[in-house]
Amino acid sequence: MAVVIRNSIQEITLQLLQFIHSATKKSASCGVIVAPCANMNQKTLEQAKMLMSQNDASHSVQLFYDVPNQVLCAVLDGGTMGSTHYASLVLKDFLHNQHLLQGQLIVSSFPESGNPTESAIAKFIQQAIQSKGNEGDIHFFSEANAATSVLIVDTDDVVREFIKIRLELKGYRVYEAKDGQEAYNIFVRILPDLVITELNLPIMDGYQLIRQIGRNDANEGKVIVLTDKQLSGNMSRAYESGAADYVTKPLSISELEWKIKRLTTNN
């Protein structure tokens, strides 16, 4: 538990994601409460944690406060939607009595409410921030309508930059990696909604990357192969590894955008 100084929504999003991933590794579910609050210090964080723990000792509670965005985040190991809602009632009373609450408490439980991807958590936090000035009641968050995130993996800087610009103009949140190992490290950290990968990659090739992603995410339809390998054997091997679709170079950006939309809409 700590007071954390951050300067962007993305940084607090990644901070909260780390707490959620740590919690879900220990338990089947993870409850999360996010609330806009003013002037929370270490003492008030300790008081809030103690109160929540006393009311439900079955869950381990982690709290942190993001100063620039003035947002309080609470993570409950093993928290279901029901138990997290109960915890939010306790936390709401505390924040209200301390005159700290500046908006609504947004409540969720993962994976019950969806997959804790970077885009979903960013939307979660933004919903809390946008509630500033409203009455301090409790709202539930679901993953629906969160912005879609895409990880592009290719050794070619021009290819990555071209796709990145096109997708960002369409409203996607885009990440880049130059090799398979870098891509896998980014994947486990942010859990993007979709990965677009070349098969010719150093350190870890595209086939290995697809299989590693499959071992870490039960959702199907995560990976589109974008490659200059046009033999049927390469295509078969990619699908056998777990790829959802296969696009060959030279790139048709319209075709790729259509496939991205189809896969992310279905997911």
Side-chain angles (χ1 to χ4, degrees), residues 12 18 25 68 76 88 92 109 112 117 125 129 150 165 175 187 206 230 241 255:
I12 183 180
Q18 290 179 354
K25 285 181 179 178
L76 289 75
S88 71
K92 176 188 170 185
S109 175
E112 189 176 355
T117 62
I125 294 170
I129 292 174
V150 178
I165 291 173
Y175 299 88
F187 179 85
Q230 301 190 18
S241 298
E255 177 188 6

Side-chain angles (χ1 to χ4, degrees), residues 182-199:
E182 181 185 11
Y184 180 68
N185 293 341
I186 294 174
F187 179 85
V188 297
R189 182 167 58 87
I190 66 172
L191 288 178
D193 298 296
L194 191 73
V195 177
I196 302 169
T197 184
E198 173 59 88
L199 295 174

Side-chain angles (χ1 to χ4, degrees), residues 48-191:
K49 179 179 179 180
M50 181 180 300
L51 187 61
M52 295 173 72
S53 299
Q54 288 174 344
N55 278 273
D56 187 352
S58 63
H59 299 312
S60 174
V61 180
Q62 304 293 327
L63 294 176
F64 71 92
Y65 181 68
D66 185 83
V67 174
N69 294 297
Q70 296 190 308
V71 170
L72 171 67
C73 300
V75 179
L76 289 75
D77 292 3
T80 62
M81 185 63 84
S83 63
T84 306
H85 180 217
Y86 176 73
S88 71
L89 294 171
V90 175
L91 182 60
K92 176 188 170 185
D93 285 344
F94 171 79
L95 295 174
H96 179 74
N97 292 336
Q98 296 290 324
H99 306 289
L100 295 171
L101 188 59
Q102 294 188 326
Q104 299 166 341
L105 287 85
I106 311 300
V107 176
S108 192
S109 175
F110 299 99
E112 189 176 355
S113 298
N115 198 24
T117 62
E118 190 272 346
S119 58
I121 300 305
K123 185 79 174 181
F124 188 3
I125 294 170
Q126 287 168 350
Q127 184 175 337
I129 292 174
Q130 291 168 359
S131 77
K132 285 183 178 179
N134 296 336
E135 185 177 353
D137 50 2
I138 296 171
H139 288 254
F140 295 100
F141 172 83
S142 69
E143 190 182 357
N145 299 323
T148 300
S149 56
V150 178
L151 171 61
I152 304 169
V153 193
D154 201 302
T155 56
D156 191 324
D157 295 344
V158 175
V159 170
R160 291 199 318 276
E161 184 66 14
F162 175 67
I163 299 173
K164 180 176 186 289
I165 291 173
R166 286 294 297 252
L167 295 185
E168 287 181 340
L169 288 173
K170 298 284 185 179
Y172 293 93
R173 184 175 289 104
V174 180
Y175 299 88
E176 300 177 66
K178 296 179 180 179
D179 61 63
Q181 186 60 57
E182 181 185 11
Y184 180 68
N185 293 341
I186 294 174
F187 179 85
V188 297
R189 182 167 58 87
I190 66 172
L191 288 178

